[in-house]
Amino acid sequence: MRALVINGKLDLVETELPTPEPGPGQVRLRMAFGGVCGSDLHYYNEGANGEYVVREPLVPGHEVSGTVDVDPSGDLAPGTPVTVHPATFGSPEPGIEDRRHLWPGGAYLGSASTWPHTQGGMSEFLLVDKGMVRPLPAGLSLRRAALAEPLAVALHGITVAGGVRGKRVLVSGSGPIGLLATAACIAEGAAEVTATDVLPGPLERARRLGAHSTVQIGTDELPALAFDVVLECSGVPAAVSAALVAARRAGVVVQVGMVPNEPRGINLAPLISKELQLRGAFRFDDEIDRAIELLLETPGIEDVITHELPAGQALEAFAVAKDSEASGKVVISLWAGE
């Protein structure tokens, strides 16, 4: 089968790999779309995502959709359109029994965090455990369904915040996750959603998705004490400090965007003086099911996708995805249509 493979820093090639055969409890999918995620960009541009270094050829991609190719159990008919929950969960620990995504020993598609690496879905076929498969409802296209995983990340941030219905929300950073967080907050009943970014392009996309207002960092003033909930989606340390200032007294700030695994300066004084709650959000548990519902109910969320390129132009797709002024979500159309 054909696959996109990252061998190391700036080394991405299309290659031939053995076509996997499903075993008990597994399903083979024929892949249609793969979204380019921030972690994919790190693996390609740096040869590592944080502490996770590419040590063997890695097929990227965990934002995927496709159709059932083979289900040995016969439960899923060939051609059934699906997306995939990219996680397999590890072993529960006391205190986190209800948070499977935090259990140690799990794995994630397209990740170098495990050895051997967990191969992703930017390939002609993908073998997954049957429990990871999510059949799509009628009316939800495979292209839009490729947004289910990143939308689930945004929805998990809302879960960690305790919900946003009727609340004033600041979404800090309008990259793909920030844009999906903006759309998700509106869909989940936020009273007001303000989006920020340092660039005008992402802010224009946020407005098209329904953001009530936008703030260009460095040009406009970000109001203090103005928001019940802040979803910090940029991962920039300075933005974390700004989020703490923007939150109202006793507000909630959720760190959704990944930050570097190293000491960075953050002003925590507002956290203390306003009794803020600063919470972390990591991937998601079962929010992908709600994401699928939202993608069906709100077709306009697909506007997050600004570029679609074929697998033969994967290098161009990764370059465009790195340019946050020019692009929102970039998806690669794989080989299912050939």
Side-chain angles (χ1 to χ4, degrees):
M1 69 174 183
R2 291 165 289 184
L4 301 177
V5 171
I6 297 173
N7 294 301
K9 182 178 179 178
L10 300 178
D11 185 354
L12 171 66
V13 296
E14 180 180 325
T15 190
E16 286 285 333
L17 296 176
T19 300
E21 294 297 328
Q26 294 182 317
V27 176
R28 188 170 71 195
L29 307 177
R30 185 172 179 85
M31 305 313 297
F33 290 98
V36 181
C37 176
S39 62
D40 302 324
L41 291 176
H42 284 301
Y43 284 130
Y44 170 64
N45 287 291
E46 302 154 25
N49 181 33
E51 62 183 301
Y52 305 128
V53 179
V54 175
R55 294 179 287 162
E56 66 174 345
L58 174 68
V59 178
H62 52 259
E63 305 174 359
V64 295
S65 62
T67 56
V68 173
D69 185 56
V70 177
D71 176 9
S73 73
D75 293 336
L76 297 170
T80 299
V82 301
T83 187
V84 177
H85 191 312
T88 53
F89 301 110
S91 302
E93 286 188 341
I96 56 170
E97 292 89 350
D98 60 341
R99 303 186 198 186
R100 298 177 300 167
H101 58 295
L102 298 181
W103 293 353
Y108 215 73
L109 292 180
S111 174
S113 64
T114 54
W115 182 259
H117 296 341
T118 304
Q119 301 300 323
M122 289 191 186
S123 53
E124 199 166 0
F125 298 97
L126 176 66
L127 203 62
V128 296
D129 291 341
K130 190 173 179 180
M132 300 167 70
V133 176
R134 298 294 190 275
L136 302 181
L140 179 54
S141 70
L142 287 171
R143 184 178 189 266
R144 198 186 317 153
L147 294 172
E149 191 275 348
L151 180 56
V153 171
L155 287 167
H156 184 63
I158 293 174
T159 299
V160 169
V164 294
R165 183 165 300 278
K167 296 179 181 180
R168 300 165 298 166
V169 181
L170 176 69
V171 176
S172 170
S174 294
I177 294 296
L179 292 172
L180 288 166
T182 292
C185 286
I186 293 166
E188 297 292 72
E192 179 184 334
V193 179
T194 299
T196 76
D197 206 89
V198 297
L199 299 170
L203 294 177
E204 173 58 31
R205 289 187 279 275
R207 287 190 290 270
R208 289 201 298 265
L209 284 167
H212 300 95
S213 61
T214 57
V215 174
Q216 186 171 348
I217 302 300
T219 300
D220 307 323
E221 183 177 354
L222 183 62
L225 296 163
F227 302 97
D228 306 302
V229 172
V230 181
L231 301 178
E232 206 302 295
C233 299
S234 74
V236 177
V240 180
S241 294
L244 298 178
V245 173
R248 67 161 171 83
R249 293 178 178 84
V252 176
V253 178
V254 180
Q255 188 59 44
V256 180
M258 293 295 290
V259 298
N261 185 27
E262 60 190 37
R264 291 287 181 97
I266 295 174
N267 179 16
L268 293 179
L271 180 77
I272 300 167
S273 63
K274 294 191 286 186
E275 287 197 358
L276 300 176
Q277 297 183 53
L278 177 59
R279 305 173 181 176
F282 182 66
R283 295 176 180 166
F284 57 91
D285 185 352
D286 59 1
E287 285 90 349
I288 196 167
D289 300 313
R290 176 58 179 154
I292 291 169
E293 293 176 356
L294 276 186
L295 289 169
L296 179 64
E297 297 167 2
T298 316
I301 294 177
E302 191 171 351
D303 290 344
V304 169
I305 299 174
T306 57
H307 295 76
E308 177 188 331
L309 290 94
Q313 297 179 28
L315 289 175
E316 181 181 348
F318 272 64
V320 171
K322 189 179 179 183
D323 185 351
S324 57
E325 168 66 14
S327 69
K329 174 57 65 180
V330 176
V331 298
I332 295 176
S333 56
L334 301 167
W335 296 275
E338 296 182 7

